[in-house]
Amino acid sequence: MVDPYDCTKCNETLYGKKYILKEEQPYCVKCYEAVFSNNCEVCKQLIGCTSKDLSYKERHWHCDCFLCTKCERSLVDRPFTTKDEVLMCTDCYSNEYSAKCHACLKTIMPGSKKMEHKGNSWHENCFACNRCHQPIGTKSFVQKDFNNYCLPCYEKQFAQQCVHCKKPITTGGVNYHDQPWHKECFVCIGCRQQLAGQRFTSRDDFAYCLDCFCNLFAKKCAYCTDPISGLGGSKYISFEQRQWHNDCFNCKKCSVSLVGRGFLTCKDDIFCPDCGRDI
């Protein structure tokens, strides 16, 4: 019969000896350490039942071995982290791996707010306008010559002013007659349609879309009465203060093209020589 005061593993009596209960089963110290104790990650020695076993992610250390790998300070009751399974205090980890502020060059500590732009990092208060020195935060900004500017300061210091509305041009814009314009301000003087990105012409320093220019200033075809723009290399025929589109310069009777051929006129009509004999 097994004595309830015998070691569960080796069956030796525990009377007068130290023993440990594990799940209500008694073990002598030697058996308990052999079965349940862990080896220290650093010194590889057994962590005895009289020593404090510090564990992290199924790994175990003696209290005296639970140290920062870099500075060797104790990590007991202190915040720490790991890199490639190596223990480090937060100060050493930050100095080794955390981003440095692009402005003050100090470490951005883990857990603190960090601003990032084009591969650079800043403390929240260091990410400020180079002109007014106010933190930019999540507001819009412009980077120029490696410095950051809030939009109001950038406009005051660098932006060109539209020749039409006199307001700053912050994005895009059009240059016409060596003067800057907003795209939305550079419009046809006739119909007010935006001209950026499309063909246009000018008269007396005013810009016109092609339709308005033709309607206002182009001569009218003597046959179809539509404007003859003459723009873009289009050809037309002119005779005695009258003009025709090339495609409209045809014999009134047989409709043959008279471009490059002799022709006859009768009042406002034109005829080929053959048809003209019958007039």
Side-chain angles (χ1 to χ4, degrees):
M1 181 175 177
V2 177
D3 192 309
Y5 290 99
D6 290 347
C7 173
T8 302
K9 182 171 177 59
C10 67
N11 296 325
E12 290 188 7
T13 182
L14 299 176
Y15 284 105
K17 298 180 181 179
K18 290 183 178 180
Y19 67 93
I20 301 167
L21 285 174
K22 177 73 172 179
E23 297 177 354
E24 299 185 358
Q25 298 295 320
Y27 293 86
C28 66
V29 171
K30 183 178 180 181
C31 288
Y32 179 87
E33 291 181 343
V35 175
F36 300 109
S37 293
N38 301 291
N39 289 325
C40 175
E41 284 284 327
V42 176
C43 69
K44 309 304 180 184
Q45 299 297 314
L46 191 74
I47 303 173
C49 60
T50 58
S51 300
K52 191 173 183 180
D53 184 336
L54 300 178
S55 63
Y56 175 71
K57 291 186 177 180
E58 299 182 358
R59 300 162 65 200
H60 301 266
W61 291 263
H62 291 106
C63 280
D64 293 340
C65 295
F66 196 59
L67 309 174
C68 172
T69 304
K70 291 289 183 181
C71 67
E72 297 186 348
R73 287 184 297 178
S74 174
L75 298 178
V76 177
D77 297 326
R78 295 186 61 191
F80 68 92
T81 186
T82 60
K83 177 70 174 178
D84 300 327
E85 297 188 355
V86 174
L87 293 175
M88 299 178 72
C89 66
T90 53
D91 289 342
C92 289
Y93 180 87
S94 298
N95 291 331
E96 189 80 14
Y97 300 108
S98 293
K100 302 293 190 293
C101 176
H102 191 65
C104 69
L105 304 182
K106 295 180 180 179
T107 300
I108 302 174
M109 298 299 290
S112 61
K113 194 167 184 179
K114 178 173 66 173
M115 312 302 291
E116 294 182 314
H117 179 65
K118 292 186 176 179
N120 293 319
S121 302
W122 291 263
H123 293 107
E124 184 178 16
N125 290 332
C126 292
F127 188 61
C129 173
N130 192 63
R131 188 171 186 268
C132 68
H133 306 297
Q134 294 299 309
I136 294 172
T138 57
K139 295 182 292 186
S140 298
F141 69 97
V142 179
Q143 191 173 67
K144 181 176 176 63
D145 299 331
F146 304 105
N147 293 316
N148 301 318
Y149 297 87
C150 63
L151 285 185
C153 286
Y154 179 83
E155 291 172 356
K156 290 176 183 177
Q157 188 158 340
F158 300 108
Q160 291 181 311
Q161 286 190 339
C162 174
V163 69
H164 175 71
C165 70
K166 310 304 181 186
K167 294 180 180 179
I169 301 173
T170 55
T171 57
V174 175
N175 191 283
Y176 177 64
H177 284 179
D178 295 325
Q179 292 180 317
W181 301 67
H182 288 114
K183 288 183 179 180
E184 57 270 22
C185 292
F186 187 58
V187 297
C188 171
I189 196 67
C191 67
R192 313 305 298 174
Q193 179 183 0
Q194 288 190 28
L195 298 177
Q198 65 169 302
R199 295 176 62 195
F200 65 93
T201 188
S202 63
R203 184 184 178 97
D204 300 328
D205 291 330
F206 293 110
Y208 295 86
C209 68
L210 297 189
D211 289 341
C212 286
F213 182 84
C214 290
N215 290 332
L216 291 170
F217 304 110
K219 298 180 183 296
K220 303 298 189 292
C221 175
Y223 176 73
C224 70
T225 70
D226 288 339
I228 301 173
S229 68
L231 299 171
S234 61
K235 297 180 180 180
Y236 63 95
I237 308 298
S238 180
F239 177 71
E240 292 183 351
Q241 297 184 345
R242 290 190 294 167
Q243 289 79 30
W244 292 263
H245 294 107
N246 266 19
D247 293 341
C248 294
F249 194 60
N250 302 321
C251 174
K252 175 69 174 179
K253 187 174 182 181
C254 69
S255 299
V256 67
S257 174
L258 300 178
V259 177
R261 299 179 58 184
F263 61 92
L264 301 172
T265 63
C266 180
K267 298 181 180 180
D268 292 335
D269 299 324
I270 55 175
F271 298 90
C272 66
D274 291 340
C275 293
R277 296 191 189 100
D278 299 331
I279 299 173

